[in-house]
Amino acid sequence: MKPIKVIVYAVLIISVVLGALFVTNIDFSKLKKQMNTTDMYVVVTENGQEETIQFEDKDSIIRYNYVQSAYDENGAAKKITFSANKNLRLNAILLVKVQELQDKEGNYLIGSYEEIQLDQVPDKTKEKLGL
């Protein structure tokens, strides 16, 4: 291939990719805030606030919403909010992936959570959680 054709093809491909990104209106700053997470720990101390979500096709689901303080490995706290499709077990210890995004009340959102064992919690965090 001649060098000019390679340059033309490269410019066309880059233009198509940039055009697709522009048309889809991706918010890269929000995407970055969702991708950057911090491992934090929380103990489920109360039942979740039950919420029924009704869909247009008349189906509905029940979600359980939680707002609690989570602590990182150094004991620093953040107020987080998350929901689950079941009422979580009381006194369960959770490892949560806290995003940089916040809701309208200023609580941080999480990307995921998993139940862990006490020996997986850092010592400084155990103190803050009262474990």
Side-chain angles (χ1 to χ4, degrees):
M1 237 190 228
K2 296 182 181 179
I4 301 239
K5 283 185 178 181
V6 172
I7 293 171
V8 169
Y9 286 133
V11 168
L12 284 173
I13 291 171
I14 291 170
S15 298
V16 168
V17 169
L18 291 176
L21 292 174
F22 180 74
V23 169
T24 58
N25 198 20
I26 295 175
D27 184 352
F28 287 105
S29 64
K30 184 176 180 181
L31 184 61
K32 182 180 176 188
K33 288 180 179 181
Q34 287 176 316
M35 299 296 288
N36 291 336
T37 61
T38 303
D39 286 350
M40 298 188 87
Y41 304 86
V42 73
V43 174
V44 178
T45 57
E46 56 188 44
N47 289 318
Q49 175 101 21
E50 189 175 307
E51 173 187 21
T52 301
I53 301 172
Q54 187 69 45
F55 296 106
E56 290 178 11
D57 63 0
K58 299 185 183 175
D59 285 342
S60 65
I61 60 170
I62 296 175
R63 299 291 297 177
Y64 296 88
N65 299 314
Y66 298 85
V67 176
Q68 292 189 240
S69 291
Y71 299 90
D72 68 11
E73 63 186 12
N74 297 315
K78 283 187 180 178
K79 195 81 155 188
I80 64 167
T81 184
F82 64 99
S83 67
N85 60 356
K86 64 180 182 177
N87 207 9
L88 299 175
R89 184 176 61 80
L90 292 177
N91 299 316
I93 303 168
L94 305 178
L95 169 64
V96 294
K97 303 285 186 177
V98 179
Q99 301 174 347
E100 294 176 7
L101 291 174
Q102 293 175 294
D103 66 9
K104 60 186 175 202
E105 286 85 30
N107 300 317
Y108 286 88
L109 305 176
I110 70 163
S112 65
Y113 69 87
E114 66 175 292
E115 187 170 347
I116 60 171
Q117 299 301 315
L118 179 61
D119 62 352
Q120 295 174 276
V121 180
D123 290 334
K124 287 183 182 177
T125 308
K126 285 179 186 175
E127 292 174 23
K128 294 290 184 172
L129 292 171
L131 300 174

mmCIF file with all atom_site columns, all heavy atoms in Angstrom, residues 9-12 22 37 54 58 64 67 70-72 76 79 86 93 100 104 121:
data_model
loop_
_atom_site.group_PDB
_atom_site.id
_atom_site.type_symbol
_atom_site.label_atom_id
_atom_site.label_alt_id
_atom_site.label_comp_id
_atom_site.label_asym_id
_atom_site.label_entity_id
_atom_site.label_seq_id
_atom_site.pdbx_PDB_ins_code
_atom_site.Cartn_x
_atom_site.Cartn_y
_atom_site.Cartn_z
_atom_site.occupancy
_atom_site.B_iso_or_equiv
_atom_site.pdbx_formal_charge
_atom_site.auth_seq_id
_atom_site.auth_comp_id
_atom_site.auth_asym_id
_atom_site.auth_atom_id
_atom_site.pdbx_PDB_model_num
ATOM 1   N N   . TYR A 1 9   ? -6.750  6.180   5.060  1.00 0.00 ? 9   TYR A N   1
ATOM 2   C CA  . TYR A 1 9   ? -7.532  5.182   5.796  1.00 0.00 ? 9   TYR A CA  1
ATOM 3   C C   . TYR A 1 9   ? -7.485  5.441   7.310  1.00 0.00 ? 9   TYR A C   1
ATOM 4   O O   . TYR A 1 9   ? -8.498  5.318   7.999  1.00 0.00 ? 9   TYR A O   1
ATOM 5   C CB  . TYR A 1 9   ? -7.049  3.762   5.490  1.00 0.00 ? 9   TYR A CB  1
ATOM 6   C CG  . TYR A 1 9   ? -7.442  3.261   4.126  1.00 0.00 ? 9   TYR A CG  1
ATOM 7   C CD1 . TYR A 1 9   ? -6.514  2.642   3.294  1.00 0.00 ? 9   TYR A CD1 1
ATOM 8   C CD2 . TYR A 1 9   ? -8.752  3.392   3.672  1.00 0.00 ? 9   TYR A CD2 1
ATOM 9   C CE1 . TYR A 1 9   ? -6.868  2.175   2.045  1.00 0.00 ? 9   TYR A CE1 1
ATOM 10  C CE2 . TYR A 1 9   ? -9.120  2.931   2.407  1.00 0.00 ? 9   TYR A CE2 1
ATOM 11  C CZ  . TYR A 1 9   ? -8.178  2.327   1.602  1.00 0.00 ? 9   TYR A CZ  1
ATOM 12  O OH  . TYR A 1 9   ? -8.532  1.874   0.366  1.00 0.00 ? 9   TYR A OH  1
ATOM 13  N N   . ALA A 1 10  ? -6.330  5.788   7.828  1.00 0.00 ? 10  ALA A N   1
ATOM 14  C CA  . ALA A 1 10  ? -6.199  6.075   9.266  1.00 0.00 ? 10  ALA A CA  1
ATOM 15  C C   . ALA A 1 10  ? -7.063  7.267   9.659  1.00 0.00 ? 10  ALA A C   1
ATOM 16  O O   . ALA A 1 10  ? -7.763  7.241   10.679 1.00 0.00 ? 10  ALA A O   1
ATOM 17  C CB  . ALA A 1 10  ? -4.740  6.327   9.626  1.00 0.00 ? 10  ALA A CB  1
ATOM 18  N N   . VAL A 1 11  ? -7.048  8.308   8.859  1.00 0.00 ? 11  VAL A N   1
ATOM 19  C CA  . VAL A 1 11  ? -7.876  9.500   9.140  1.00 0.00 ? 11  VAL A CA  1
ATOM 20  C C   . VAL A 1 11  ? -9.355  9.130   9.090  1.00 0.00 ? 11  VAL A C   1
ATOM 21  O O   . VAL A 1 11  ? -10.144 9.565   9.939  1.00 0.00 ? 11  VAL A O   1
ATOM 22  C CB  . VAL A 1 11  ? -7.530  10.648  8.160  1.00 0.00 ? 11  VAL A CB  1
ATOM 23  C CG1 . VAL A 1 11  ? -8.555  11.770  8.240  1.00 0.00 ? 11  VAL A CG1 1
ATOM 24  C CG2 . VAL A 1 11  ? -6.131  11.176  8.436  1.00 0.00 ? 11  VAL A CG2 1
ATOM 25  N N   . LEU A 1 12  ? -9.742  8.328   8.131  1.00 0.00 ? 12  LEU A N   1
ATOM 26  C CA  . LEU A 1 12  ? -11.147 7.908   8.026  1.00 0.00 ? 12  LEU A CA  1
ATOM 27  C C   . LEU A 1 12  ? -11.577 7.085   9.235  1.00 0.00 ? 12  LEU A C   1
ATOM 28  O O   . LEU A 1 12  ? -12.658 7.297   9.797  1.00 0.00 ? 12  LEU A O   1
ATOM 29  C CB  . LEU A 1 12  ? -11.367 7.104   6.744  1.00 0.00 ? 12  LEU A CB  1
ATOM 30  C CG  . LEU A 1 12  ? -11.425 7.909   5.448  1.00 0.00 ? 12  LEU A CG  1
ATOM 31  C CD1 . LEU A 1 12  ? -11.484 6.976   4.249  1.00 0.00 ? 12  LEU A CD1 1
ATOM 32  C CD2 . LEU A 1 12  ? -12.617 8.850   5.450  1.00 0.00 ? 12  LEU A CD2 1
ATOM 33  N N   . PHE A 1 22  ? -19.083 10.929  19.576 1.00 0.00 ? 22  PHE A N   1
ATOM 34  C CA  . PHE A 1 22  ? -19.823 12.187  19.665 1.00 0.00 ? 22  PHE A CA  1
ATOM 35  C C   . PHE A 1 22  ? -21.326 11.939  19.582 1.00 0.00 ? 22  PHE A C   1
ATOM 36  O O   . PHE A 1 22  ? -22.107 12.495  20.343 1.00 0.00 ? 22  PHE A O   1
ATOM 37  C CB  . PHE A 1 22  ? -19.373 13.143  18.549 1.00 0.00 ? 22  PHE A CB  1
ATOM 38  C CG  . PHE A 1 22  ? -20.090 14.451  18.565 1.00 0.00 ? 22  PHE A CG  1
ATOM 39  C CD1 . PHE A 1 22  ? -19.788 15.402  19.528 1.00 0.00 ? 22  PHE A CD1 1
ATOM 40  C CD2 . PHE A 1 22  ? -21.068 14.741  17.629 1.00 0.00 ? 22  PHE A CD2 1
ATOM 41  C CE1 . PHE A 1 22  ? -20.445 16.613  19.559 1.00 0.00 ? 22  PHE A CE1 1
ATOM 42  C CE2 . PHE A 1 22  ? -21.737 15.939  17.652 1.00 0.00 ? 22  PHE A CE2 1
ATOM 43  C CZ  . PHE A 1 22  ? -21.422 16.888  18.620 1.00 0.00 ? 22  PHE A CZ  1
ATOM 44  N N   . THR A 1 37  ? -12.852 3.040   41.764 1.00 0.00 ? 37  THR A N   1
ATOM 45  C CA  . THR A 1 37  ? -13.518 2.627   42.995 1.00 0.00 ? 37  THR A CA  1
ATOM 46  C C   . THR A 1 37  ? -12.502 2.441   44.118 1.00 0.00 ? 37  THR A C   1
ATOM 47  O O   . THR A 1 37  ? -11.317 2.229   43.870 1.00 0.00 ? 37  THR A O   1
ATOM 48  C CB  . THR A 1 37  ? -14.302 1.309   42.806 1.00 0.00 ? 37  THR A CB  1
ATOM 49  O OG1 . THR A 1 37  ? -13.389 0.278   42.443 1.00 0.00 ? 37  THR A OG1 1
ATOM 50  C CG2 . THR A 1 37  ? -15.398 1.447   41.769 1.00 0.00 ? 37  THR A CG2 1
ATOM 51  N N   . GLN A 1 54  ? -42.341 -0.386  40.055 1.00 0.00 ? 54  GLN A N   1
ATOM 52  C CA  . GLN A 1 54  ? -43.375 -0.822  39.115 1.00 0.00 ? 54  GLN A CA  1
ATOM 53  C C   . GLN A 1 54  ? -42.928 -0.504  37.694 1.00 0.00 ? 54  GLN A C   1
ATOM 54  O O   . GLN A 1 54  ? -42.525 0.617   37.402 1.00 0.00 ? 54  GLN A O   1
ATOM 55  C CB  . GLN A 1 54  ? -44.689 -0.097  39.416 1.00 0.00 ? 54  GLN A CB  1
ATOM 56  C CG  . GLN A 1 54  ? -45.870 -0.592  38.623 1.00 0.00 ? 54  GLN A CG  1
ATOM 57  C CD  . GLN A 1 54  ? -46.293 -1.995  39.022 1.00 0.00 ? 54  GLN A CD  1
ATOM 58  O OE1 . GLN A 1 54  ? -46.383 -2.306  40.200 1.00 0.00 ? 54  GLN A OE1 1
ATOM 59  N NE2 . GLN A 1 54  ? -46.546 -2.847  38.047 1.00 0.00 ? 54  GLN A NE2 1
ATOM 60  N N   . LYS A 1 58  ? -46.533 -3.741  33.924 1.00 0.00 ? 58  LYS A N   1
ATOM 61  C CA  . LYS A 1 58  ? -47.238 -4.166  35.141 1.00 0.00 ? 58  LYS A CA  1
ATOM 62  C C   . LYS A 1 58  ? -46.455 -5.140  36.008 1.00 0.00 ? 58  LYS A C   1
ATOM 63  O O   . LYS A 1 58  ? -46.929 -5.552  37.047 1.00 0.00 ? 58  LYS A O   1
ATOM 64  C CB  . LYS A 1 58  ? -48.626 -4.705  34.810 1.00 0.00 ? 58  LYS A CB  1
ATOM 65  C CG  . LYS A 1 58  ? -49.501 -3.683  34.150 1.00 0.00 ? 58  LYS A CG  1
ATOM 66  C CD  . LYS A 1 58  ? -50.892 -4.183  33.943 1.00 0.00 ? 58  LYS A CD  1
ATOM 67  C CE  . LYS A 1 58  ? -51.651 -3.072  33.203 1.00 0.00 ? 58  LYS A CE  1
ATOM 68  N NZ  . LYS A 1 58  ? -52.973 -3.472  32.834 1.00 0.00 ? 58  LYS A NZ  1
ATOM 69  N N   . TYR A 1 64  ? -34.231 -3.428  48.259 1.00 0.00 ? 64  TYR A N   1
ATOM 70  C CA  . TYR A 1 64  ? -33.988 -3.035  49.643 1.00 0.00 ? 64  TYR A CA  1
ATOM 71  C C   . TYR A 1 64  ? -32.845 -2.022  49.645 1.00 0.00 ? 64  TYR A C   1
ATOM 72  O O   . TYR A 1 64  ? -31.736 -2.335  49.210 1.00 0.00 ? 64  TYR A O   1
ATOM 73  C CB  . TYR A 1 64  ? -33.656 -4.262  50.491 1.00 0.00 ? 64  TYR A CB  1
ATOM 74  C CG  . TYR A 1 64  ? -34.828 -5.216  50.547 1.00 0.00 ? 64  TYR A CG  1
ATOM 75  C CD1 . TYR A 1 64  ? -34.989 -6.202  49.586 1.00 0.00 ? 64  TYR A CD1 1
ATOM 76  C CD2 . TYR A 1 64  ? -35.789 -5.090  51.539 1.00 0.00 ? 64  TYR A CD2 1
ATOM 77  C CE1 . TYR A 1 64  ? -36.073 -7.066  49.617 1.00 0.00 ? 64  TYR A CE1 1
ATOM 78  C CE2 . TYR A 1 64  ? -36.885 -5.943  51.584 1.00 0.00 ? 64  TYR A CE2 1
ATOM 79  C CZ  . TYR A 1 64  ? -37.023 -6.926  50.614 1.00 0.00 ? 64  TYR A CZ  1
ATOM 80  O OH  . TYR A 1 64  ? -38.102 -7.759  50.651 1.00 0.00 ? 64  TYR A OH  1
ATOM 81  N N   . VAL A 1 67  ? -28.534 3.039   53.489 1.00 0.00 ? 67  VAL A N   1
ATOM 82  C CA  . VAL A 1 67  ? -27.664 4.206   53.601 1.00 0.00 ? 67  VAL A CA  1
ATOM 83  C C   . VAL A 1 67  ? -26.882 4.008   54.888 1.00 0.00 ? 67  VAL A C   1
ATOM 84  O O   . VAL A 1 67  ? -27.465 3.960   55.964 1.00 0.00 ? 67  VAL A O   1
ATOM 85  C CB  . VAL A 1 67  ? -28.460 5.531   53.644 1.00 0.00 ? 67  VAL A CB  1
ATOM 86  C CG1 . VAL A 1 67  ? -27.523 6.707   53.856 1.00 0.00 ? 67  VAL A CG1 1
ATOM 87  C CG2 . VAL A 1 67  ? -29.289 5.709   52.379 1.00 0.00 ? 67  VAL A CG2 1
ATOM 88  N N   . ALA A 1 70  ? -19.381 3.635   55.487 1.00 0.00 ? 70  ALA A N   1
ATOM 89  C CA  . ALA A 1 70  ? -18.409 2.613   55.108 1.00 0.00 ? 70  ALA A CA  1
ATOM 90  C C   . ALA A 1 70  ? -17.029 3.152   55.449 1.00 0.00 ? 70  ALA A C   1
ATOM 91  O O   . ALA A 1 70  ? -16.812 4.366   55.473 1.00 0.00 ? 70  ALA A O   1
ATOM 92  C CB  . ALA A 1 70  ? -18.508 2.309   53.620 1.00 0.00 ? 70  ALA A CB  1
ATOM 93  N N   . TYR A 1 71  ? -16.097 2.250   55.722 1.00 0.00 ? 71  TYR A N   1
ATOM 94  C CA  . TYR A 1 71  ? -14.752 2.637   56.148 1.00 0.00 ? 71  TYR A CA  1
ATOM 95  C C   . TYR A 1 71  ? -13.704 1.973   55.268 1.00 0.00 ? 71  TYR A C   1
ATOM 96  O O   . TYR A 1 71  ? -13.828 0.797   54.934 1.00 0.00 ? 71  TYR A O   1
ATOM 97  C CB  . TYR A 1 71  ? -14.527 2.237   57.609 1.00 0.00 ? 71  TYR A CB  1
ATOM 98  C CG  . TYR A 1 71  ? -15.504 2.913   58.536 1.00 0.00 ? 71  TYR A CG  1
ATOM 99  C CD1 . TYR A 1 71  ? -16.725 2.319   58.837 1.00 0.00 ? 71  TYR A CD1 1
ATOM 100 C CD2 . TYR A 1 71  ? -15.221 4.154   59.084 1.00 0.00 ? 71  TYR A CD2 1
ATOM 101 C CE1 . TYR A 1 71  ? -17.641 2.949   59.669 1.00 0.00 ? 71  TYR A CE1 1
ATOM 102 C CE2 . TYR A 1 71  ? -16.126 4.794   59.918 1.00 0.00 ? 71  TYR A CE2 1
ATOM 103 C CZ  . TYR A 1 71  ? -17.334 4.183   60.205 1.00 0.00 ? 71  TYR A CZ  1
ATOM 104 O OH  . TYR A 1 71  ? -18.247 4.818   61.019 1.00 0.00 ? 71  TYR A OH  1
ATOM 105 N N   . ASP A 1 72  ? -12.650 2.746   54.939 1.00 0.00 ? 72  ASP A N   1
ATOM 106 C CA  . ASP A 1 72  ? -11.563 2.172   54.151 1.00 0.00 ? 72  ASP A CA  1
ATOM 107 C C   . ASP A 1 72  ? -10.559 1.503   55.082 1.00 0.00 ? 72  ASP A C   1
ATOM 108 O O   . ASP A 1 72  ? -10.761 1.449   56.298 1.00 0.00 ? 72  ASP A O   1
ATOM 109 C CB  . ASP A 1 72  ? -10.917 3.224   53.249 1.00 0.00 ? 72  ASP A CB  1
ATOM 110 C CG  . ASP A 1 72  ? -10.148 4.299   54.003 1.00 0.00 ? 72  ASP A CG  1
ATOM 111 O OD1 . ASP A 1 72  ? -9.913  4.165   55.221 1.00 0.00 ? 72  ASP A OD1 1
ATOM 112 O OD2 . ASP A 1 72  ? -9.762  5.292   53.355 1.00 0.00 ? 72  ASP A OD2 1
ATOM 113 N N   . ALA A 1 76  ? -10.957 5.723   57.409 1.00 0.00 ? 76  ALA A N   1
ATOM 114 C CA  . ALA A 1 76  ? -11.656 6.914   56.912 1.00 0.00 ? 76  ALA A CA  1
ATOM 115 C C   . ALA A 1 76  ? -13.062 6.521   56.459 1.00 0.00 ? 76  ALA A C   1
ATOM 116 O O   . ALA A 1 76  ? -13.251 5.466   55.846 1.00 0.00 ? 76  ALA A O   1
ATOM 117 C CB  . ALA A 1 76  ? -10.883 7.544   55.762 1.00 0.00 ? 76  ALA A CB  1
ATOM 118 N N   . LYS A 1 79  ? -20.193 8.176   53.656 1.00 0.00 ? 79  LYS A N   1
ATOM 119 C CA  . LYS A 1 79  ? -21.603 7.779   53.698 1.00 0.00 ? 79  LYS A CA  1
ATOM 120 C C   . LYS A 1 79  ? -21.948 7.216   52.327 1.00 0.00 ? 79  LYS A C   1
ATOM 121 O O   . LYS A 1 79  ? -21.715 7.860   51.305 1.00 0.00 ? 79  LYS A O   1
ATOM 122 C CB  . LYS A 1 79  ? -22.454 9.000   54.017 1.00 0.00 ? 79  LYS A CB  1
ATOM 123 C CG  . LYS A 1 79  ? -23.840 8.660   54.432 1.00 0.00 ? 79  LYS A CG  1
ATOM 124 C CD  . LYS A 1 79  ? -23.872 8.264   55.871 1.00 0.00 ? 79  LYS A CD  1
ATOM 125 C CE  . LYS A 1 79  ? -25.260 8.515   56.411 1.00 0.00 ? 79  LYS A CE  1
ATOM 126 N NZ  . LYS A 1 79  ? -25.342 8.338   57.808 1.00 0.00 ? 79  LYS A NZ  1
ATOM 127 N N   . LYS A 1 86  ? -32.538 -8.461  47.831 1.00 0.00 ? 86  LYS A N   1
ATOM 128 C CA  . LYS A 1 86  ? -33.058 -9.164  49.002 1.00 0.00 ? 86  LYS A CA  1
ATOM 129 C C   . LYS A 1 86  ? -32.650 -8.372  50.240 1.00 0.00 ? 86  LYS A C   1
ATOM 130 O O   . LYS A 1 86  ? -31.741 -7.540  50.188 1.00 0.00 ? 86  LYS A O   1
ATOM 131 C CB  . LYS A 1 86  ? -32.508 -10.590 49.083 1.00 0.00 ? 86  LYS A CB  1
ATOM 132 C CG  . LYS A 1 86  ? -30.996 -10.644 49.272 1.00 0.00 ? 86  LYS A CG  1
ATOM 133 C CD  . LYS A 1 86  ? -30.484 -12.064 49.353 1.00 0.00 ? 86  LYS A CD  1
ATOM 134 C CE  . LYS A 1 86  ? -28.983 -12.063 49.600 1.00 0.00 ? 86  LYS A CE  1
ATOM 135 N NZ  . LYS A 1 86  ? -28.463 -13.412 49.745 1.00 0.00 ? 86  LYS A NZ  1
ATOM 136 N N   . ILE A 1 93  ? -20.844 -8.658  57.105 1.00 0.00 ? 93  ILE A N   1
ATOM 137 C CA  . ILE A 1 93  ? -19.743 -7.744  56.794 1.00 0.00 ? 93  ILE A CA  1
ATOM 138 C C   . ILE A 1 93  ? -19.601 -7.722  55.276 1.00 0.00 ? 93  ILE A C   1
ATOM 139 O O   . ILE A 1 93  ? -19.458 -8.769  54.647 1.00 0.00 ? 93  ILE A O   1
ATOM 140 C CB  . ILE A 1 93  ? -18.427 -8.213  57.435 1.00 0.00 ? 93  ILE A CB  1
ATOM 141 C CG1 . ILE A 1 93  ? -18.593 -8.344  58.955 1.00 0.00 ? 93  ILE A CG1 1
ATOM 142 C CG2 . ILE A 1 93  ? -17.301 -7.249  57.093 1.00 0.00 ? 93  ILE A CG2 1
ATOM 143 C CD1 . ILE A 1 93  ? -17.448 -9.062  59.635 1.00 0.00 ? 93  ILE A CD1 1
ATOM 144 N N   . GLU A 1 100 ? -16.727 7.185   42.796 1.00 0.00 ? 100 GLU A N   1
ATOM 145 C CA  . GLU A 1 100 ? -16.568 8.611   43.058 1.00 0.00 ? 100 GLU A CA  1
ATOM 146 C C   . GLU A 1 100 ? -17.866 9.369   42.818 1.00 0.00 ? 100 GLU A C   1
ATOM 147 O O   . GLU A 1 100 ? -17.933 10.565  43.053 1.00 0.00 ? 100 GLU A O   1
ATOM 148 C CB  . GLU A 1 100 ? -15.446 9.176   42.180 1.00 0.00 ? 100 GLU A CB  1
ATOM 149 C CG  . GLU A 1 100 ? -14.076 8.627   42.529 1.00 0.00 ? 100 GLU A CG  1
ATOM 150 C CD  . GLU A 1 100 ? -12.983 9.126   41.596 1.00 0.00 ? 100 GLU A CD  1
ATOM 151 O OE1 . GLU A 1 100 ? -13.250 9.997   40.745 1.00 0.00 ? 100 GLU A OE1 1
ATOM 152 O OE2 . GLU A 1 100 ? -11.858 8.645   41.729 1.00 0.00 ? 100 GLU A OE2 1
ATOM 153 N N   . LYS A 1 104 ? -28.023 12.684  44.992 1.00 0.00 ? 104 LYS A N   1
ATOM 154 C CA  . LYS A 1 104 ? -28.403 14.086  45.249 1.00 0.00 ? 104 LYS A CA  1
ATOM 155 C C   . LYS A 1 104 ? -28.278 14.472  46.720 1.00 0.00 ? 104 LYS A C   1
ATOM 156 O O   . LYS A 1 104 ? -28.191 15.645  47.044 1.00 0.00 ? 104 LYS A O   1
ATOM 157 C CB  . LYS A 1 104 ? -29.821 14.354  44.742 1.00 0.00 ? 104 LYS A CB  1
ATOM 158 C CG  . LYS A 1 104 ? -30.876 13.491  45.382 1.00 0.00 ? 104 LYS A CG  1
ATOM 159 C CD  . LYS A 1 104 ? -32.224 13.696  44.737 1.00 0.00 ? 104 LYS A CD  1
ATOM 160 C CE  . LYS A 1 104 ? -33.201 12.713  45.356 1.00 0.00 ? 104 LYS A CE  1
ATOM 161 N NZ  . LYS A 1 104 ? -34.335 12.466  44.527 1.00 0.00 ? 104 LYS A NZ  1
ATOM 162 N N   . VAL A 1 121 ? -11.099 -8.203  57.166 1.00 0.00 ? 121 VAL A N   1
ATOM 163 C CA  . VAL A 1 121 ? -11.253 -6.773  57.438 1.00 0.00 ? 121 VAL A CA  1
ATOM 164 C C   . VAL A 1 121 ? -9.970  -6.249  58.086 1.00 0.00 ? 121 VAL A C   1
ATOM 165 O O   . VAL A 1 121 ? -9.485  -6.832  59.064 1.00 0.00 ? 121 VAL A O   1
ATOM 166 C CB  . VAL A 1 121 ? -12.463 -6.518  58.374 1.00 0.00 ? 121 VAL A CB  1
ATOM 167 C CG1 . VAL A 1 121 ? -12.624 -5.036  58.668 1.00 0.00 ? 121 VAL A CG1 1
ATOM 168 C CG2 . VAL A 1 121 ? -13.736 -7.094  57.766 1.00 0.00 ? 121 VAL A CG2 1
#
